Amino acid sequence: MARRLNQLRKSTLSTHEHLTCSSSILSSSSPRTPGKKAIKGDPIITGIRLRPFLDRESAIDDTPAVQIFETNVICTQNGRPQIFKFTNCFDSSANNKNVYDGMIRSAVLASLQGYNTTVLAYGQTASGKSHSIFGSSNEEGILSLSIDHLITMNGNHHLKFELSFLEIYNEKVTDLLATPAVSTEPSTTKSSSFSKNARTHILNKFACNSTRTLEIREHPLLGPYVPDLKYIQVKTKEDFQNVLNLGNQQRSVASTNANQRSSRSHAIFSVKISRNDVPQSTAKRLLFESNSTSNGKNSSLSNANNKKSVKQQALDELEEQSVRLNFVDLAGSEKSQQFHGSKGKNDRFAESVHINQSLSTLRNVIDALSRQQHHIPYRDSSLTYLLKNSLGGDAKTYMLATISPSSTVIDETINTLRYAGLTAI
């Protein structure tokens, strides 16, 4: 971790003035002394976002059961108010830019300082999680705003940004960029204006890949990872939007009473940040194998294994120095009676079982970290296993909990607030 902090800070000297100007934003997540290992991770920075009424909700009752006053969230159930207090609260008038400036910008700056950083969007179905992360055709999401910030800060191109996009559906990991679907219908989103050359370039990268479901493995030094997960380097915001659009086409969604396009999977969009200038010593080791094989084919098997080991060590060193900024759109669960039809009910209920189990495991992991327990149940779900390096130790974690103002879902809203209150350790 100390090496990653030192290397990335050296490569971000040109952005020092930007970081200094943003010091007030980083007050809740200032970096620790390099090399100082924390037994317990930094407190999870939690925020609450109250979305506006939907048309179908206001047609039933437009009196809000949830209100936000400064840092207090007041829920009224059966005439009795309950008050929850959080550091970051955004009422129904806030847009994605307000949420980004008030909370998420510090996560982006933390990643530029060398910390693995994760932003979690948690809440019930149709509470505004996906809209907050990915936005819409009318409003940019906090993910797009973060990418724009990263590209702007990287004016001298000393950093490299690589994107991956996966989903966890029924505990199975799927690469959303492996086999993109090419639609013949005109798109109604912003992606319709993207250049055909950029889209074709990305499609060609995956044309020969027919396998999407992947396994999770653990590296002895780097921790859990997904072998063969595709990473696409981006240099412009247009490149990013193309990757995001291609991945979103593959997400597992279904129609329920609460949401016509309910996300039935956990989606993890990762930005891997690394240096463009590879250290000379590392570059020599990366070229060791190719230079040696050019001298002849009489080398023994043991020498070949040794060369592979040297190259792999160099690759691991580069991977260790990279930083990941993750955006996680957690799936929202619903009550079983909210599902459409008998067949849809069975399918959605089976999905809901996996969703609830993984969210419960996430809560257990956070609770175990807050209690500084020796055993942390990361392996109990694919979600927490993949996020192992982002929930404890030297990581920065942000949770944005989204809630509805409607009285018809006040029980789920209170459960969300209690869950979010647990994370604010």
Side-chain angles (χ1 to χ4, degrees), residues 103-176:
M103 178 179 172
I104 308 302
R105 183 185 295 270
S106 61
V108 176
L109 295 176
S111 68
L112 288 176
Q113 293 182 348
Y115 290 99
N116 285 331
T117 307
T118 294
V119 178
L120 301 165
Y122 174 80
Q124 68 173 112
T125 298
S127 61
K129 301 183 305 297
S130 296
H131 175 75
S132 297
I133 295 289
F134 300 112
S136 65
S137 58
N138 299 320
E139 183 181 9
E140 285 188 299
I142 59 177
L143 171 56
S144 179
L145 294 169
S146 300
I147 294 294
D148 184 55
H149 191 184
L150 287 172
I151 293 175
T152 302
M153 297 275 284
N154 192 35
N156 58 1
H157 305 291
H158 57 285
L159 296 177
K160 179 171 65 174
F161 305 125
E162 297 172 279
L163 310 181
S164 69
F165 199 6
L166 63 84
E167 75 170 357
I168 303 174
Y169 176 71
N170 289 346
E171 287 300 293
K172 295 181 179 179
V173 178
T174 300
D175 189 345
L176 294 176

Side-chain angles (χ1 to χ4, degrees), residues 6 21-22 26 41 92 116 132-134 150 171 184 192 211 225 228 239 244 339 346 398 412:
N6 289 327
C21 295
S22 306
L26 291 170
S92 57
N116 285 331
S132 297
I133 295 289
F134 300 112
L150 287 172
E171 287 300 293
T184 57
S192 60
T211 303
Y225 72 105
D228 301 322
D239 293 339
L244 178 61
F339 303 135
N346 292 333
Y398 296 71
E412 289 83 353

Side-chain angles (χ1 to χ4, degrees), residues 127-411:
S127 61
K129 301 183 305 297
S130 296
H131 175 75
S132 297
I133 295 289
F134 300 112
S136 65
S137 58
N138 299 320
E139 183 181 9
E140 285 188 299
I142 59 177
L143 171 56
S144 179
L145 294 169
S146 300
I147 294 294
D148 184 55
H149 191 184
L150 287 172
I151 293 175
T152 302
M153 297 275 284
N154 192 35
N156 58 1
H157 305 291
H158 57 285
L159 296 177
K160 179 171 65 174
F161 305 125
E162 297 172 279
L163 310 181
S164 69
F165 199 6
L166 63 84
E167 75 170 357
I168 303 174
Y169 176 71
N170 289 346
E171 287 300 293
K172 295 181 179 179
V173 178
T174 300
D175 189 345
L176 294 176
L177 300 177
T179 54
V182 182
S183 176
T184 57
E185 299 179 359
S187 175
T188 58
T189 64
K190 287 185 177 181
S191 61
S192 60
S193 63
F194 299 154
S195 69
K196 292 183 178 179
N197 291 335
R199 182 179 178 85
T200 303
H201 175 71
I202 295 175
L203 287 173
N204 290 338
K205 285 180 177 290
F206 311 118
C208 60
N209 194 336
S210 60
T211 303
R212 295 178 60 206
T213 303
L214 303 173
E215 296 181 354
I216 304 175
R217 297 181 182 177
E218 185 160 4
H219 190 280
L221 296 178
L222 304 177
Y225 72 105
V226 179
D228 301 322
L229 182 65
K230 296 299 179 292
Y231 283 87
I232 300 299
Q233 182 176 354
V234 297
K235 296 182 180 179
T236 66
K237 196 171 181 180
E238 181 185 15
D239 293 339
F240 153 72
Q241 291 287 3
N242 274 281
V243 173
L244 178 61
N245 181 61
L246 292 173
N248 274 331
Q249 290 179 10
Q250 305 300 309
R251 283 205 68 182
S252 299
V253 297
S255 176
T256 68
N257 285 350
N259 193 352
Q260 288 298 314
R261 285 185 56 82
S262 173
S263 299
R264 311 311 298 163
S265 65
H266 307 300
I268 303 179
F269 192 102
S270 296
V271 184
K272 183 165 75 169
I273 306 173
S274 55
R275 300 171 56 195
N276 265 324
D277 55 326
V278 179
Q280 186 175 6
S281 59
T282 304
K284 288 182 178 179
R285 280 181 286 165
L286 289 173
L287 295 174
F288 180 81
E289 182 176 1
S290 59
N291 291 339
S292 299
T293 53
S294 63
N295 295 330
K297 298 182 179 180
N298 298 326
S299 60
S300 63
L301 180 62
S302 60
N303 288 334
N305 291 334
N306 181 60
K307 287 181 290 185
K308 182 178 179 181
S309 176
V310 170
K311 183 176 181 179
Q312 189 59 50
Q313 288 178 4
L315 291 173
D316 290 347
E317 180 179 304
L318 289 177
E319 188 70 16
E320 186 180 6
Q321 293 173 5
S322 66
V323 172
R324 280 172 174 75
L325 173 60
N326 304 312
F327 291 85
V328 184
D329 181 17
L330 297 171
S333 60
E334 296 175 330
K335 295 179 180 179
S336 59
Q337 61 266 29
Q338 292 178 306
F339 303 135
H340 284 308
S342 58
K343 184 179 184 302
K345 179 177 179 179
N346 292 333
D347 293 342
R348 304 293 81 79
F349 181 78
E351 294 166 353
S352 182
V353 169
H354 290 286
I355 292 171
N356 290 335
Q357 285 179 347
S358 61
L359 292 177
S360 177
T361 300
L362 176 61
R363 178 169 185 162
N364 293 337
V365 166
I366 294 173
D367 183 59
L369 288 170
S370 67
R371 298 174 183 273
Q372 302 186 46
Q373 295 180 357
H374 178 71
H375 172 69
I376 311 297
Y378 291 114
R379 290 177 176 266
D380 287 0
S381 77
S382 298
L383 174 67
T384 52
Y385 192 25
L386 273 177
L387 295 178
K388 178 180 178 180
N389 293 339
S390 300
L391 294 175
D394 292 305
K396 301 284 186 181
T397 307
Y398 296 71
M399 175 177 282
L400 178 65
T402 56
I403 56 177
S404 164
S406 176
S407 59
T408 60
V409 291
I410 189 63
D411 290 337

Side-chain angles (χ1 to χ4, degrees), residues 67-83:
Q67 294 178 302
I68 289 181
F69 293 101
E70 297 180 347
T71 60
N72 298 306
V73 182
I74 303 176
C75 299
T76 304
Q77 184 181 32
N78 299 325
R80 301 177 59 184
Q82 299 186 50
I83 301 177

